[in-house]
Amino acid sequence: MKILFYMPHADAAAWLHDFARALPEADLREWQPGDTAPADFAVVWRPPREMLAGRDDLRAIFNLGAGVDAILALEHEQPGTLPRNAQLIRLEDTGMGSQMAEYVTHAVLRYLRRFDEYHTLQNERCWHVLDPHPRETFTVGVLGLGVLGAQVAQTVAGFGMPVRGYSRSARQIDGIATFAGDAQFDAFLDGVKVLVNLLPHTPDTRDVLNARTFAKLARGAYLINVARGGHLVEADLLEALASGQLAAATLDVFREEPLPPDHPFWQEPRITITPHISALTLREDSVEQVARKIEALMRGDSVSGVVNLERGY
């Protein structure tokens, strides 16, 4: 089998070494501009159109991440980017679930215990005890109950706070109050104190974190966005912080990355910024998952993680 690899700014040699060890029978190569030689599979992250367009020999394209919005956006902007007969397959967890759960839990507990406010008081050299948030009313709402969202919801629930989850179709998760579909969206939001976004980025979910959504939350609520920057209407967030409808936000993803130095988010002390690190792609786990799926496809078996191109996940 022939496998093409493309991941900008990565140590390609290390990835290819690990794939060679996992698939010793494979013919592996890093894609370079002008490479049109045959290939059976492509393993990619944010590939250029030139790499994929017209490659009817590809059986599957493995996306080195859980989110496939970037590659689908390329197809939307330039139809024909994705080969007609190739399945698009995303990573499933590969260590990202535990990282995401750690990140979100840290942010939720930081707000529950008001450590963000104590940090401000420290900068002001002010010794002042703040009344704690009541745990029983500190409701956490998780938007998106896929593999990552479900793990985040269950981890946070383990700390004794009420947790809700929302998904497009109905889900049942022990210990989590679940809501589904447009008809239950407002009920899910009503009174939520911490809104955590883990939705896939699709045309239906773009700009979902907007003024209307914020207005349904409890006053003085918190936002944690670890999905995609395109979910957030940035001006609406700043207005919600200015009005007090939101007390603070933790953002790991942005419409433009890296976040430009002159972006107003840098100047807003109630916004915590991290550089898209809530769940990093772990090379060894990712190689193992992709290799096992390639072997299954070579046997003629079906695999999980196949993206529905119409739904976008």
Side-chain angles (χ1 to χ4, degrees):
M1 75 190 78
K2 299 180 184 297
I3 301 175
L4 277 179
F5 176 84
Y6 180 84
M7 190 178 192
H9 314 303
D11 184 350
W15 280 88
L16 292 172
H17 175 270
D18 287 354
F19 270 114
R21 186 170 53 186
L23 295 167
E25 72 281 13
D27 177 1
L28 297 151
R29 70 182 189 272
E30 182 182 9
W31 181 83
Q32 301 290 344
D35 180 350
T36 59
D40 302 297
F41 302 99
V43 181
V44 303
W45 178 247
R46 294 186 176 274
R49 184 179 192 277
E50 180 190 354
M51 178 183 180
L52 302 176
R55 281 193 171 273
D56 293 335
D57 52 344
L58 285 179
R59 297 178 56 178
I61 300 166
F62 289 89
N63 186 68
L64 289 173
V68 293
D69 51 298
I71 198 168
L72 291 182
L74 192 60
E75 170 66 22
H76 177 75
E77 294 164 4
Q78 302 181 68
T81 295
L82 293 176
R84 292 170 297 176
N85 300 319
Q87 293 179 307
L88 178 59
I89 303 172
R90 59 180 172 80
L91 286 184
E92 299 174 284
D93 198 347
T94 63
M96 289 185 286
S98 58
Q99 294 180 73
M100 192 70 79
E102 292 164 354
Y103 183 102
V104 172
T105 300
H106 173 272
V108 169
L109 293 177
R110 179 169 175 257
Y111 291 138
L112 173 69
R113 295 296 306 275
R114 304 183 73 171
F115 289 134
D116 60 320
E117 295 171 80
Y118 282 120
H119 181 73
T120 300
L121 291 172
Q122 176 181 333
N123 290 337
E124 297 172 353
R125 301 183 184 184
C126 178
W127 183 281
H128 177 64
V129 177
L130 301 170
D131 292 333
H133 288 296
R135 186 180 298 263
E136 62 276 9
T137 59
F138 204 75
T139 302
V140 178
V142 178
L143 275 170
L145 292 176
V147 173
L148 300 182
Q151 185 167 344
V152 165
Q154 291 177 307
T155 301
V156 173
F159 285 85
M161 290 163 282
V163 178
R164 302 175 186 173
Y166 174 86
S167 54
R168 177 176 178 174
S169 55
R171 296 284 306 276
Q172 296 296 321
I173 302 175
D174 290 344
I176 310 299
T178 56
F179 300 75
D182 294 342
Q184 295 187 333
F185 187 61
D186 286 356
F188 161 77
L189 295 172
D190 186 34
V192 161
K193 192 66 175 178
V194 184
L195 183 63
V196 181
N197 180 42
L198 280 145
L199 288 169
H201 187 225
T202 70
D204 290 338
T205 64
R206 184 175 179 82
D207 296 338
V208 67
L209 303 177
N210 55 38
R212 183 186 182 280
T213 295
F214 300 150
K216 297 291 182 180
L217 306 175
R219 183 160 181 82
Y222 302 91
L223 173 67
I224 302 170
N225 188 18
V226 289
R228 287 292 185 267
H231 287 125
L232 175 63
V233 179
E234 297 179 343
D236 288 1
L237 171 60
L238 293 171
E239 290 177 9
L241 290 169
S243 71
Q245 178 58 26
L246 291 185
T250 295
L251 307 178
D252 186 52
V253 289
F254 305 90
R255 287 182 180 265
E256 183 178 354
E257 296 181 2
L259 190 64
D262 60 349
H263 196 285
F265 284 175
W266 291 112
Q267 305 301 319
E268 173 50 71
R270 290 165 293 187
I271 294 179
T272 298
I273 293 169
T274 53
H276 206 144
I277 49 78
S278 56
L280 300 172
T281 298
L282 302 179
R283 189 177 71 241
E284 291 183 4
D285 292 344
S286 300
V287 167
E288 177 67 17
Q289 184 178 123
V290 172
R292 299 294 79 81
K293 289 185 177 182
I294 287 177
E295 290 176 335
L297 291 173
M298 292 296 292
R299 293 192 303 267
D301 297 338
S302 60
V303 298
S304 58
V306 176
V307 175
N308 181 314
L309 300 184
E310 293 184 359
R311 290 187 304 183
Y313 58 91

